[in-house]
Amino acid sequence: MSSAKKLINDPNDVETEFIDGLMETYPSLQYLDGYPSVKVVFRADVYPGPPYDKVAVISGGGSGHEPAHAGFVGEGMLTAAICGDVFASPTVDAILAGIRTVTGPMGCLLIIKNYTGDRLNFGLAAEQAKSEGYKVESVIVEDDCSIPPPLEMAGRRGLAGTILVHKVAGAAADAGLSLADVAAEARYASENVGTMGVALKACTLPGRIFTDRFGPTKMEVGLGIHGEPGAHVTDIQPVEAVVSELLNQILSKETNYLPISRGERVVLMVNGLGGTPLMELMIAAGKAVPQLMVEHGLAVDRVYTGSFMTSLDMEGLSISIMRADRSILQRLDAETKAPYWPVGVSGNRLPAKIPVPIPRSRSAKIVEPQSQPLKLTEQGQLLEQVIVAAATALIQLKDTLNEWDSKVGDGDCGSTMYKGATAVLGDIKNYPLNDAAETVGEIGSTIGKSMGGTSGIIYSILCKAACAQLKTSSHSVITSKHWAKALAAAIEAVSKYGGAKVGYRTLLDALIPALSSLEERLNSGDDPATAFFTSSQAALDGAESTKKMRAKKNGE
């Protein structure tokens, strides 16, 4: 075991240095001069100046949950956030300082997560503020759905659903409601949200030794945001099964933590716990919506996906479900300038999005599917023979090319070429072989669809550029010089978009000498067959020269 790698300085300064960075990033935020014991972030337009004329909404807790809570300070959401040390409640003095800074004659609402330290410290600060003449109300958020009622001696924990409560309360306050009404809306929101989490790997506190208590094949369901043990440990499951378990627990009729019945409308929040890629969160969201609709009979009005309340670098996610009546949707959709509230989610969500058909090419010639002519011209027959010969040669070279590529790359060149060549042989029945330009273009389309990675794109560009050049010819028969011009255009396009030149150890080191030789022989009046044969030898010599070169381009 060893200390986890972290991009930090002193582990004891991570909270204050996080706030420093936040201040540099967002001009709309300000902070109090009270490091290290007082770490308060608040709206820069509220203080100093005339007393704030709306209800102040204040929340906070231990650090390590970023962007919560300071990232949700802004017009239309939190007025101030009180930050404690990592996973530790802020001090009473810090909370009092925040209350005194932003609370005007309308009073303030404290939104508190249901943890003993938070309840005690925010509670004592509230009583002290009241004794100083401030109007203070409190709402406790306990949205955890992981602990069965008989075991919830300390109550349900406050989790990511708290962020939705922040938004509802902040919007209500921004609308000018009284303290009692803002508190009532926040309380209603907190009573109608449930959250359940799962983790694949525990978090690592700055400067501490990492201990993987789960192991490589296990996950923990129902754990809190401080890494405290969950409801149970189980084998890792596909995300669809994980989402199903979390939703079933949140909407359980046994616990009835979230009394929502079939036919009602809900809001979904998929929250990353700090170490989960957005790709995985979106996959979970994509599975959660149909499950809510089909299995639970609920309409999903809004989906919020991202990292809202994390647990340092914990790998995992939580799902929150909130009742979506008209008043809550109005508050969630209200404009806010809080930096980390997601934009672009407001407004009615379509029940189902039908994929939009892919637009057809503007080229009138290829609006309809291509097909091979019933009778091939001499040029068409020759073109067919050349295509079949080249594709067959590539297929036979599969293992050899893979072997060569394994010495300098990832060993898949032969397999990639094999896919392209096989696809070309399969599609040749659809190529308009009497039209050389269109045929080359269709080969490029086949390659683009069948070959992966950089190679597929490069050869597709090569064919498309050659096609465009061949189309400039007014002659029905394509001559050897036309083909040479097409090769020149193809090389120019590959160099332009790929960024390679002679000496970069790419296919251009073979193609450019081949083009030079071909043009020279044709201009000298050589027979076209001889000219092309000579150019192929130049290509081989160019390829051989790359043995001593150092690669200057990379690919995927």
Side-chain angles (χ1 to χ4, degrees):
M1 293 187 296
S2 61
S3 296
K5 299 176 186 175
K6 300 284 184 183
L7 287 172
I8 61 174
N9 296 306
D10 188 332
N12 297 314
D13 295 335
V14 292
E15 305 92 354
T16 56
E17 291 189 342
F18 160 74
I19 294 174
D20 289 342
L22 200 68
M23 294 303 106
E24 298 292 354
T25 305
Y26 298 106
S28 62
L29 301 182
Q30 183 58 280
Y31 68 121
L32 292 180
D33 181 11
Y35 287 171
S37 59
V38 174
K39 297 181 281 290
V40 176
V41 176
F42 59 95
R43 285 172 50 181
D45 63 326
V46 169
Y47 181 88
Y52 187 49
D53 60 356
K54 294 179 180 179
V55 172
V57 180
I58 301 173
S59 189
S63 295
H65 305 303
E66 292 73 28
H69 302 81
F72 296 106
V73 173
E75 184 179 338
M77 210 161 173
L78 295 181
T79 319
I82 322 299
C83 307
D85 293 339
V86 172
F87 293 172
S89 175
T91 64
V92 174
D93 287 344
I95 300 167
L96 264 175
I99 293 173
R100 292 167 181 158
T101 300
V102 299
T103 304
M106 294 285 284
C108 74
L109 172 67
L110 302 180
I111 299 178
I112 308 166
K113 298 190 303 300
N114 189 32
Y115 292 96
T116 301
D118 285 354
R119 293 186 66 147
L120 292 177
N121 287 351
F122 275 89
L124 179 53
E127 294 306 313
Q128 176 64 33
K130 289 177 185 177
S131 72
E132 296 178 9
Y134 291 98
K135 289 192 273 185
V136 183
E137 288 276 358
S138 299
V139 169
I140 309 294
V141 182
E142 40 186 346
D143 56 318
D144 182 16
C145 295
S146 66
I147 306 172
L151 302 177
E152 53 162 338
M153 298 172 60
R156 299 159 58 197
R157 298 169 290 199
L159 303 175
T162 309
I163 305 302
L164 296 172
V165 179
H166 289 166
K167 183 64 176 67
V168 170
D174 196 54
L177 272 62
S178 68
L179 177 58
D181 288 340
V182 172
E185 290 204 20
R187 195 167 289 113
Y188 175 76
S190 70
E191 292 167 353
N192 284 279
V193 62
T195 300
M196 187 80 177
V198 61
L200 308 181
K201 188 192 81 173
C203 59
T204 311
L205 273 66
R208 302 286 183 85
I209 301 297
F210 171 65
T211 304
D212 184 8
R213 71 173 190 264
F214 300 164
T217 62
K218 301 292 182 181
M219 64 182 188
E220 193 163 78
V221 180
L223 74 173
I225 54 173
H226 306 107
E228 62 267 43
H232 64 276
V233 175
T234 185
D235 291 334
I236 292 178
Q237 302 291 324
V239 68
E240 195 161 19
V242 173
V243 167
S244 178
E245 180 175 354
L246 298 184
L247 293 179
N248 287 337
Q249 186 71 21
I250 295 170
L251 299 167
S252 168
K253 297 303 179 184
E254 285 186 36
T255 60
N256 206 35
Y257 278 149
L258 191 61
I260 292 179
S261 304
R262 297 182 73 87
E264 293 195 62
R265 314 188 76 84
V266 296
V267 165
L268 166 69
M269 173 179 276
V270 178
N271 170 61
L273 296 177
T276 310
L278 182 60
M279 175 187 284
E280 295 176 25
L281 299 180
M282 286 297 177
I283 291 172
K287 301 302 178 185
V289 172
Q291 287 187 24
L292 284 167
M293 294 192 298
V294 176
E295 298 175 20
H296 298 278
L298 300 172
V300 182
D301 279 341
R302 303 287 185 277
V303 179
Y304 303 98
T305 304
S307 293
F308 303 96
M309 183 175 285
T310 65
S311 182
L312 292 172
D313 58 350
M314 183 181 288
E315 293 180 10
L317 59 84
S318 67
I319 289 179
S320 299
I321 303 295
M322 176 180 268
R323 188 189 306 276
D325 59 28
R326 183 178 299 178
S327 63
I328 282 181
L329 289 180
Q330 181 182 6
R331 300 307 185 202
L332 293 176
D333 286 348
E335 185 178 353
T336 178
K337 294 182 180 177
Y340 287 92
W341 179 257
V343 299
V345 179
S346 61
N348 292 328
R349 196 187 68 85
L350 295 175
K353 288 185 179 176
I354 307 302
V356 177
I358 298 173
R360 292 184 179 274
S361 169
R362 292 181 178 180
S363 172
K365 289 186 177 181
I366 57 173
V367 170
E368 297 300 325
Q370 297 281 1
S371 60
Q372 190 176 113
L374 294 176
K375 184 177 181 179
L376 296 180
T377 63
E378 181 179 354
Q379 177 180 265
Q381 293 175 352
L382 183 59
L383 191 55
E384 181 181 40
Q385 293 170 10
V386 170
I387 293 170
V388 171
T392 302
L394 281 173
I395 290 171
Q396 293 172 348
L397 284 170
K398 174 186 174 184
D399 294 337
T400 301
L401 290 174
N402 278 340
E403 182 183 354
W404 290 349
D405 190 36
S406 67
K407 299 180 186 302
V408 294
D410 48 11
D412 66 347
C413 178
S415 299
T416 302
M417 294 293 187
Y418 176 88
K419 288 179 183 178
T422 303
V424 166
L425 290 181
D427 285 355
I428 195 170
K429 61 183 180 294
N430 298 320
Y431 293 164
L433 293 167
N434 291 342
D435 187 330
E438 289 290 356
T439 297
V440 172
E442 287 298 305
I443 292 174
S445 297
T446 297
I447 290 172
K449 290 183 290 186
S450 60
M451 288 174 63
T454 304
S455 296
I457 295 293
I458 287 176
Y459 289 115
S460 186
I461 288 174
L462 189 147
C463 289
K464 293 296 184 180
C467 168
Q469 175 60 39
L470 289 172
K471 283 183 177 182
T472 63
S473 172
S474 58
H475 301 281
S476 58
V477 177
I478 303 298
T479 67
S480 54
K481 289 190 176 182
H482 289 140
W483 283 111
K485 289 182 179 180
L487 178 59
I491 290 172
E492 182 181 358
V494 169
S495 179
K496 173 183 176 181
Y497 295 112
K501 299 177 183 178
V502 171
Y504 277 41
R505 201 183 187 191
T506 70
L507 79 168
L508 295 186
D509 289 300
L511 291 181
I512 290 175
L515 173 63
S516 297
S517 172
L518 180 61
E519 291 176 332
E520 181 182 347
R521 301 320 315 161
L522 290 175
N523 290 334
S524 298
D526 281 7
D527 175 69
T530 303
F532 276 102
F533 179 80
T534 304
S535 72
S536 68
Q537 185 58 52
L540 288 173
D541 294 341
E544 189 74 17
S545 71
T546 62
K547 287 182 177 180
K548 300 178 181 179
M549 294 180 187
R550 182 177 179 181
K552 296 182 181 179
K553 297 299 292 183
N554 63 343
E556 289 187 355

